[in-house]
Amino acid sequence: MIEVKGLTKRYGEVTAVNGLTFTVRPGLVTGFLGPNGAGKSTTLRMILGLNRPTSGSATIGGRPFVRHRAGLRHAGALLDAGDVHGGRSAAAHLWALARGNGLPRRRVGEVLREVGLEGVARRRVGGFSLGMRQRLGIAAALLGDPPVLLFDEPVNGLDPEGVRWVRGLFRRLAAEGRTVLVSSHLMSEMEHTADRLVVIGRGELIADESVADFAARG
Ligand code: ADP
Ligand code: ADP
């Protein structure tokens, strides 16, 4: 479970996130919807302890999430898929993360198979398409088999087959009882992916309800 209370982030004059309060429950895919610049990434980064709130709080499993050894066992995230050291192979990237988090090396092969990158495991990430980088970022998020997963715009760059695959993956992760939060700027994507929606605009909460109720209101 993720709990966000009064979460606020200001950058000088810009208020990126303004008093957000919402809860993300396990066993569902929760969509985090808002136009570009609405504050989605900033919120996800604060939930993951990568960005310090100006005020308010965000907790995972009742505690602030701290990036530390074994952090990947508690929460995994796909944040900026483009932001991967291009000189390394996909496998080397995941090995480093596994080592840093005390995870067994066999997990690397398992997650590479899960995301369909086993055939390119030894290739340098620098030559990967955005869709392949998204798959690699998803593999990193899954590495620690965590109960809480956050995905920032995961569908960007995926081909139609990849989009179908990732939707199925989110469904399965939720059916396993995990907490799954998926951001997007597209309602059409959320209708296919999410059970519930947290909708934001200009850093503020607009709606927190089922996808069906939100769609019915227009
Ligand atoms: P989204 O993920 O919904 O597209 P962001 O969280 O990236 O939105 O950005 C929300 C707002 O905060 C935008 O106006 C953006 O320009 C601003 N912002 C984000 N990060 C910074 C930063 N490091 N410094 C200044 N402004 C920022
Ligand atoms: P840095 O370059 O800052 O050292 P790393 O990529 O080595 O960052 O990661 C440091 C720690 O951050 C990891 O041990 C892990 O706990 C956390 N971390 C890294 N990637 C993720 C991710 N995809 N999801 C969640 N936590 C992560």
Side-chain angles (χ1 to χ4, degrees), residues 181-209:
L181 183 62
V182 182
S183 86
S184 176
H185 61 285
L186 295 171
M187 180 60 189
S188 54
E189 180 52 35
M190 295 281 87
E191 281 180 305
H192 287 104
T193 305
D195 304 298
R196 282 193 71 78
L197 278 182
V198 171
V199 186
I200 67 169
R202 297 174 188 272
E204 295 184 13
L205 192 73
I206 292 176
D208 179 357
E209 61 191 348

PDB file of all heavy atoms in Angstrom, residues 181-209:
ATOM      1  N   LEU A 181       1.039   0.866  -9.483  1.00  0.00           N
ATOM      2  CA  LEU A 181       0.682   2.238  -9.872  1.00  0.00           C
ATOM      3  C   LEU A 181       1.326   2.529 -11.228  1.00  0.00           C
ATOM      4  O   LEU A 181       2.534   2.379 -11.390  1.00  0.00           O
ATOM      5  CB  LEU A 181       1.186   3.223  -8.812  1.00  0.00           C
ATOM      6  CG  LEU A 181       0.831   4.703  -9.008  1.00  0.00           C
ATOM      7  CD1 LEU A 181      -0.671   4.926  -8.990  1.00  0.00           C
ATOM      8  CD2 LEU A 181       1.486   5.560  -7.922  1.00  0.00           C
ATOM      9  N   VAL A 182       0.500   2.914 -12.196  1.00  0.00           N
ATOM     10  CA  VAL A 182       0.962   3.110 -13.576  1.00  0.00           C
ATOM     11  C   VAL A 182       0.578   4.514 -14.040  1.00  0.00           C
ATOM     12  O   VAL A 182      -0.613   4.844 -14.086  1.00  0.00           O
ATOM     13  CB  VAL A 182       0.295   2.085 -14.528  1.00  0.00           C
ATOM     14  CG1 VAL A 182       0.813   2.262 -15.945  1.00  0.00           C
ATOM     15  CG2 VAL A 182       0.525   0.656 -14.047  1.00  0.00           C
ATOM     16  N   SER A 183       1.562   5.331 -14.412  1.00  0.00           N
ATOM     17  CA  SER A 183       1.210   6.680 -14.862  1.00  0.00           C
ATOM     18  C   SER A 183       1.035   6.723 -16.372  1.00  0.00           C
ATOM     19  O   SER A 183       1.641   5.942 -17.112  1.00  0.00           O
ATOM     20  CB  SER A 183       2.289   7.684 -14.439  1.00  0.00           C
ATOM     21  OG  SER A 183       3.326   7.732 -15.388  1.00  0.00           O
ATOM     22  N   SER A 184       0.195   7.645 -16.819  1.00  0.00           N
ATOM     23  CA  SER A 184       0.014   7.880 -18.246  1.00  0.00           C
ATOM     24  C   SER A 184      -0.630   9.249 -18.444  1.00  0.00           C
ATOM     25  O   SER A 184      -1.327   9.751 -17.560  1.00  0.00           O
ATOM     26  CB  SER A 184      -0.879   6.811 -18.868  1.00  0.00           C
ATOM     27  OG  SER A 184      -1.110   7.103 -20.230  1.00  0.00           O
ATOM     28  N   HIS A 185      -0.402   9.843 -19.615  1.00  0.00           N
ATOM     29  CA  HIS A 185      -1.121  11.079 -19.942  1.00  0.00           C
ATOM     30  C   HIS A 185      -2.320  10.768 -20.845  1.00  0.00           C
ATOM     31  O   HIS A 185      -3.018  11.667 -21.282  1.00  0.00           O
ATOM     32  CB  HIS A 185      -0.188  12.101 -20.601  1.00  0.00           C
ATOM     33  CG  HIS A 185       0.419  11.628 -21.890  1.00  0.00           C
ATOM     34  ND1 HIS A 185       1.447  10.697 -21.925  1.00  0.00           N
ATOM     35  CD2 HIS A 185       0.140  11.925 -23.169  1.00  0.00           C
ATOM     36  CE1 HIS A 185       1.763  10.466 -23.188  1.00  0.00           C
ATOM     37  NE2 HIS A 185       0.982  11.187 -23.965  1.00  0.00           N
ATOM     38  N   LEU A 186      -2.584   9.468 -21.116  1.00  0.00           N
ATOM     39  CA  LEU A 186      -3.641   9.078 -22.044  1.00  0.00           C
ATOM     40  C   LEU A 186      -4.766   8.313 -21.356  1.00  0.00           C
ATOM     41  O   LEU A 186      -4.579   7.206 -20.863  1.00  0.00           O
ATOM     42  CB  LEU A 186      -3.068   8.171 -23.140  1.00  0.00           C
ATOM     43  CG  LEU A 186      -2.047   8.803 -24.087  1.00  0.00           C
ATOM     44  CD1 LEU A 186      -1.424   7.731 -24.960  1.00  0.00           C
ATOM     45  CD2 LEU A 186      -2.718   9.883 -24.918  1.00  0.00           C
ATOM     46  N   MET A 187      -5.973   8.891 -21.354  1.00  0.00           N
ATOM     47  CA  MET A 187      -7.135   8.194 -20.798  1.00  0.00           C
ATOM     48  C   MET A 187      -7.396   6.899 -21.556  1.00  0.00           C
ATOM     49  O   MET A 187      -7.783   5.891 -20.972  1.00  0.00           O
ATOM     50  CB  MET A 187      -8.361   9.111 -20.836  1.00  0.00           C
ATOM     51  CG  MET A 187      -9.619   8.477 -20.280  1.00  0.00           C
ATOM     52  SD  MET A 187      -9.470   7.966 -18.536  1.00  0.00           S
ATOM     53  CE  MET A 187     -10.997   7.039 -18.333  1.00  0.00           C
ATOM     54  N   SER A 188      -7.183   6.923 -22.894  1.00  0.00           N
ATOM     55  CA  SER A 188      -7.451   5.719 -23.690  1.00  0.00           C
ATOM     56  C   SER A 188      -6.594   4.554 -23.191  1.00  0.00           C
ATOM     57  O   SER A 188      -7.038   3.398 -23.168  1.00  0.00           O
ATOM     58  CB  SER A 188      -7.158   5.999 -25.168  1.00  0.00           C
ATOM     59  OG  SER A 188      -5.846   6.505 -25.324  1.00  0.00           O
ATOM     60  N   GLU A 189      -5.363   4.859 -22.770  1.00  0.00           N
ATOM     61  CA  GLU A 189      -4.483   3.811 -22.242  1.00  0.00           C
ATOM     62  C   GLU A 189      -5.003   3.318 -20.892  1.00  0.00           C
ATOM     63  O   GLU A 189      -5.061   2.118 -20.622  1.00  0.00           O
ATOM     64  CB  GLU A 189      -3.064   4.357 -22.111  1.00  0.00           C
ATOM     65  CG  GLU A 189      -2.045   3.370 -21.561  1.00  0.00           C
ATOM     66  CD  GLU A 189      -2.039   2.057 -22.316  1.00  0.00           C
ATOM     67  OE1 GLU A 189      -2.253   2.067 -23.539  1.00  0.00           O
ATOM     68  OE2 GLU A 189      -1.838   1.006 -21.677  1.00  0.00           O
ATOM     69  N   MET A 190      -5.424   4.238 -20.047  1.00  0.00           N
ATOM     70  CA  MET A 190      -5.887   3.875 -18.709  1.00  0.00           C
ATOM     71  C   MET A 190      -7.132   2.991 -18.759  1.00  0.00           C
ATOM     72  O   MET A 190      -7.304   2.104 -17.947  1.00  0.00           O
ATOM     73  CB  MET A 190      -6.195   5.142 -17.901  1.00  0.00           C
ATOM     74  CG  MET A 190      -4.977   5.988 -17.632  1.00  0.00           C
ATOM     75  SD  MET A 190      -3.911   5.405 -16.296  1.00  0.00           S
ATOM     76  CE  MET A 190      -2.824   4.286 -17.076  1.00  0.00           C
ATOM     77  N   GLU A 191      -8.001   3.248 -19.773  1.00  0.00           N
ATOM     78  CA  GLU A 191      -9.219   2.437 -19.880  1.00  0.00           C
ATOM     79  C   GLU A 191      -8.884   0.968 -20.112  1.00  0.00           C
ATOM     80  O   GLU A 191      -9.639   0.091 -19.725  1.00  0.00           O
ATOM     81  CB  GLU A 191     -10.106   2.967 -21.019  1.00  0.00           C
ATOM     82  CG  GLU A 191     -10.876   4.200 -20.579  1.00  0.00           C
ATOM     83  CD  GLU A 191     -11.762   4.756 -21.690  1.00  0.00           C
ATOM     84  OE1 GLU A 191     -11.238   5.040 -22.792  1.00  0.00           O
ATOM     85  OE2 GLU A 191     -12.962   4.909 -21.445  1.00  0.00           O
ATOM     86  N   HIS A 192      -7.756   0.706 -20.765  1.00  0.00           N
ATOM     87  CA  HIS A 192      -7.356  -0.667 -21.024  1.00  0.00           C
ATOM     88  C   HIS A 192      -6.536  -1.273 -19.901  1.00  0.00           C
ATOM     89  O   HIS A 192      -6.362  -2.476 -19.839  1.00  0.00           O
ATOM     90  CB  HIS A 192      -6.509  -0.736 -22.305  1.00  0.00           C
ATOM     91  CG  HIS A 192      -7.309  -0.560 -23.547  1.00  0.00           C
ATOM     92  ND1 HIS A 192      -7.314   0.616 -24.267  1.00  0.00           N
ATOM     93  CD2 HIS A 192      -8.153  -1.402 -24.172  1.00  0.00           C
ATOM     94  CE1 HIS A 192      -8.116   0.471 -25.305  1.00  0.00           C
ATOM     95  NE2 HIS A 192      -8.644  -0.728 -25.271  1.00  0.00           N
ATOM     96  N   THR A 193      -5.969  -0.428 -19.060  1.00  0.00           N
ATOM     97  CA  THR A 193      -4.944  -0.899 -18.135  1.00  0.00           C
ATOM     98  C   THR A 193      -5.394  -0.916 -16.681  1.00  0.00           C
ATOM     99  O   THR A 193      -5.062  -1.828 -15.931  1.00  0.00           O
ATOM    100  CB  THR A 193      -3.691   0.009 -18.254  1.00  0.00           C
ATOM    101  OG1 THR A 193      -3.278   0.037 -19.619  1.00  0.00           O
ATOM    102  CG2 THR A 193      -2.549  -0.495 -17.388  1.00  0.00           C
ATOM    103  N   ALA A 194      -6.147   0.128 -16.279  1.00  0.00           N
ATOM    104  CA  ALA A 194      -6.336   0.372 -14.846  1.00  0.00           C
ATOM    105  C   ALA A 194      -7.721  -0.031 -14.342  1.00  0.00           C
ATOM    106  O   ALA A 194      -8.690  -0.068 -15.101  1.00  0.00           O
ATOM    107  CB  ALA A 194      -6.099   1.852 -14.550  1.00  0.00           C
ATOM    108  N   ASP A 195      -7.809  -0.333 -13.046  1.00  0.00           N
ATOM    109  CA  ASP A 195      -9.085  -0.556 -12.356  1.00  0.00           C
ATOM    110  C   ASP A 195      -9.567   0.747 -11.728  1.00  0.00           C
ATOM    111  O   ASP A 195     -10.740   1.086 -11.792  1.00  0.00           O
ATOM    112  CB  ASP A 195      -8.903  -1.590 -11.236  1.00  0.00           C
ATOM    113  CG  ASP A 195      -8.328  -2.887 -11.746  1.00  0.00           C
ATOM    114  OD1 ASP A 195      -8.993  -3.523 -12.585  1.00  0.00           O
ATOM    115  OD2 ASP A 195      -7.223  -3.255 -11.333  1.00  0.00           O
ATOM    116  N   ARG A 196      -8.618   1.419 -11.102  1.00  0.00           N
ATOM    117  CA  ARG A 196      -8.926   2.693 -10.452  1.00  0.00           C
ATOM    118  C   ARG A 196      -8.059   3.785 -11.046  1.00  0.00           C
ATOM    119  O   ARG A 196      -7.014   3.506 -11.636  1.00  0.00           O
ATOM    120  CB  ARG A 196      -8.633   2.633  -8.948  1.00  0.00           C
ATOM    121  CG  ARG A 196      -9.662   1.928  -8.139  1.00  0.00           C
ATOM    122  CD  ARG A 196      -9.449   2.204  -6.655  1.00  0.00           C
ATOM    123  NE  ARG A 196      -9.797   3.578  -6.281  1.00  0.00           N
ATOM    124  CZ  ARG A 196     -11.034   4.011  -6.097  1.00  0.00           C
ATOM    125  NH1 ARG A 196     -12.055   3.212  -6.254  1.00  0.00           N
ATOM    126  NH2 ARG A 196     -11.251   5.271  -5.742  1.00  0.00           N
ATOM    127  N   LEU A 197      -8.487   5.016 -10.843  1.00  0.00           N
ATOM    128  CA  LEU A 197      -7.722   6.154 -11.359  1.00  0.00           C
ATOM    129  C   LEU A 197      -7.482   7.179 -10.262  1.00  0.00           C
ATOM    130  O   LEU A 197      -8.401   7.515  -9.510  1.00  0.00           O
ATOM    131  CB  LEU A 197      -8.512   6.862 -12.462  1.00  0.00           C
ATOM    132  CG  LEU A 197      -8.478   6.303 -13.874  1.00  0.00           C
ATOM    133  CD1 LEU A 197      -9.304   7.217 -14.764  1.00  0.00           C
ATOM    134  CD2 LEU A 197      -7.046   6.204 -14.374  1.00  0.00           C
ATOM    135  N   VAL A 198      -6.264   7.650 -10.215  1.00  0.00           N
ATOM    136  CA  VAL A 198      -5.962   8.880  -9.492  1.00  0.00           C
ATOM    137  C   VAL A 198      -5.619   9.885 -10.581  1.00  0.00           C
ATOM    138  O   VAL A 198      -4.696   9.669 -11.356  1.00  0.00           O
ATOM    139  CB  VAL A 198      -4.774   8.678  -8.520  1.00  0.00           C
ATOM    140  CG1 VAL A 198      -4.339  10.011  -7.936  1.00  0.00           C
ATOM    141  CG2 VAL A 198      -5.131   7.676  -7.422  1.00  0.00           C
ATOM    142  N   VAL A 199      -6.426  10.947 -10.681  1.00  0.00           N
ATOM    143  CA  VAL A 199      -6.250  11.920 -11.765  1.00  0.00           C
ATOM    144  C   VAL A 199      -5.733  13.226 -11.178  1.00  0.00           C
ATOM    145  O   VAL A 199      -6.291  13.724 -10.187  1.00  0.00           O
ATOM    146  CB  VAL A 199      -7.583  12.172 -12.509  1.00  0.00           C
ATOM    147  CG1 VAL A 199      -7.369  13.068 -13.721  1.00  0.00           C
ATOM    148  CG2 VAL A 199      -8.217  10.847 -12.928  1.00  0.00           C
ATOM    149  N   ILE A 200      -4.665  13.762 -11.775  1.00  0.00           N
ATOM    150  CA  ILE A 200      -4.154  15.049 -11.311  1.00  0.00           C
ATOM    151  C   ILE A 200      -4.034  16.038 -12.467  1.00  0.00           C
ATOM    152  O   ILE A 200      -3.922  15.652 -13.630  1.00  0.00           O
ATOM    153  CB  ILE A 200      -2.798  14.933 -10.565  1.00  0.00           C
ATOM    154  CG1 ILE A 200      -1.656  14.505 -11.489  1.00  0.00           C
ATOM    155  CG2 ILE A 200      -2.904  13.984  -9.387  1.00  0.00           C
ATOM    156  CD1 ILE A 200      -0.272  14.644 -10.853  1.00  0.00           C
ATOM    157  N   GLY A 201      -4.074  17.301 -12.119  1.00  0.00           N
ATOM    158  CA  GLY A 201      -3.860  18.387 -13.076  1.00  0.00           C
ATOM    159  C   GLY A 201      -3.202  19.533 -12.336  1.00  0.00           C
ATOM    160  O   GLY A 201      -3.580  19.824 -11.204  1.00  0.00           O
ATOM    161  N   ARG A 202      -2.185  20.123 -12.916  1.00  0.00           N
ATOM    162  CA  ARG A 202      -1.429  21.204 -12.263  1.00  0.00           C
ATOM    163  C   ARG A 202      -1.065  20.856 -10.823  1.00  0.00           C
ATOM    164  O   ARG A 202      -1.200  21.695  -9.919  1.00  0.00           O
ATOM    165  CB  ARG A 202      -2.228  22.505 -12.285  1.00  0.00           C
ATOM    166  CG  ARG A 202      -2.505  23.019 -13.691  1.00  0.00           C
ATOM    167  CD  ARG A 202      -3.426  24.221 -13.634  1.00  0.00           C
ATOM    168  NE  ARG A 202      -3.866  24.627 -14.967  1.00  0.00           N
ATOM    169  CZ  ARG A 202      -3.198  25.476 -15.737  1.00  0.00           C
ATOM    170  NH1 ARG A 202      -2.075  25.999 -15.319  1.00  0.00           N
ATOM    171  NH2 ARG A 202      -3.649  25.778 -16.935  1.00  0.00           N
ATOM    172  N   GLY A 203      -0.665  19.610 -10.598  1.00  0.00           N
ATOM    173  CA  GLY A 203      -0.191  19.198  -9.274  1.00  0.00           C
ATOM    174  C   GLY A 203      -1.272  18.905  -8.262  1.00  0.00           C
ATOM    175  O   GLY A 203      -0.978  18.525  -7.129  1.00  0.00           O
ATOM    176  N   GLU A 204      -2.564  19.074  -8.671  1.00  0.00           N
ATOM    177  CA  GLU A 204      -3.638  18.874  -7.690  1.00  0.00           C
ATOM    178  C   GLU A 204      -4.529  17.697  -8.055  1.00  0.00           C
ATOM    179  O   GLU A 204      -4.709  17.375  -9.230  1.00  0.00           O
ATOM    180  CB  GLU A 204      -4.483  20.152  -7.592  1.00  0.00           C
ATOM    181  CG  GLU A 204      -3.669  21.310  -7.049  1.00  0.00           C
ATOM    182  CD  GLU A 204      -4.491  22.574  -6.836  1.00  0.00           C
ATOM    183  OE1 GLU A 204      -5.735  22.501  -6.878  1.00  0.00           O
ATOM    184  OE2 GLU A 204      -3.865  23.626  -6.633  1.00  0.00           O
ATOM    185  N   LEU A 205      -5.126  17.093  -7.024  1.00  0.00           N
ATOM    186  CA  LEU A 205      -6.009  15.949  -7.237  1.00  0.00           C
ATOM    187  C   LEU A 205      -7.303  16.400  -7.914  1.00  0.00           C
ATOM    188  O   LEU A 205      -7.960  17.339  -7.469  1.00  0.00           O
ATOM    189  CB  LEU A 205      -6.342  15.297  -5.885  1.00  0.00           C
ATOM    190  CG  LEU A 205      -7.021  13.933  -5.970  1.00  0.00           C
ATOM    191  CD1 LEU A 205      -6.020  12.870  -6.403  1.00  0.00           C
ATOM    192  CD2 LEU A 205      -7.617  13.553  -4.619  1.00  0.00           C
ATOM    193  N   ILE A 206      -7.667  15.703  -9.003  1.00  0.00           N
ATOM    194  CA  ILE A 206      -8.910  15.998  -9.715  1.00  0.00           C
ATOM    195  C   ILE A 206      -9.946  14.900  -9.461  1.00  0.00           C
ATOM    196  O   ILE A 206     -11.135  15.168  -9.318  1.00  0.00           O
ATOM    197  CB  ILE A 206      -8.650  16.144 -11.230  1.00  0.00           C
ATOM    198  CG1 ILE A 206      -7.817  17.407 -11.498  1.00  0.00           C
ATOM    199  CG2 ILE A 206      -9.943  16.166 -12.029  1.00  0.00           C
ATOM    200  CD1 ILE A 206      -7.422  17.573 -12.953  1.00  0.00           C
ATOM    201  N   ALA A 207      -9.502  13.650  -9.402  1.00  0.00           N
ATOM    202  CA  ALA A 207     -10.429  12.541  -9.171  1.00  0.00           C
ATOM    203  C   ALA A 207      -9.668  11.363  -8.596  1.00  0.00           C
ATOM    204  O   ALA A 207      -8.469  11.202  -8.830  1.00  0.00           O
ATOM    205  CB  ALA A 207     -11.103  12.134 -10.480  1.00  0.00           C
ATOM    206  N   ASP A 208     -10.395  10.546  -7.826  1.00  0.00           N
ATOM    207  CA  ASP A 208      -9.839   9.319  -7.246  1.00  0.00           C
ATOM    208  C   ASP A 208     -11.015   8.349  -7.196  1.00  0.00           C
ATOM    209  O   ASP A 208     -11.809   8.386  -6.268  1.00  0.00           O
ATOM    210  CB  ASP A 208      -9.283   9.627  -5.854  1.00  0.00           C
ATOM    211  CG  ASP A 208      -8.702   8.400  -5.179  1.00  0.00           C
ATOM    212  OD1 ASP A 208      -8.766   7.300  -5.753  1.00  0.00           O
ATOM    213  OD2 ASP A 208      -8.185   8.545  -4.051  1.00  0.00           O
ATOM    214  N   GLU A 209     -11.183   7.548  -8.251  1.00  0.00           N
ATOM    215  CA  GLU A 209     -12.387   6.717  -8.381  1.00  0.00           C
ATOM    216  C   GLU A 209     -12.147   5.597  -9.381  1.00  0.00           C
ATOM    217  O   GLU A 209     -11.063   5.510  -9.965  1.00  0.00           O
ATOM    218  CB  GLU A 209     -13.575   7.582  -8.810  1.00  0.00           C
ATOM    219  CG  GLU A 209     -13.366   8.265 -10.155  1.00  0.00           C
ATOM    220  CD  GLU A 209     -14.426   9.329 -10.438  1.00  0.00           C
ATOM    221  OE1 GLU A 209     -15.433   9.387  -9.735  1.00  0.00           O
ATOM    222  OE2 GLU A 209     -14.216  10.107 -11.372  1.00  0.00           O
TER     223      GLU A 209
END
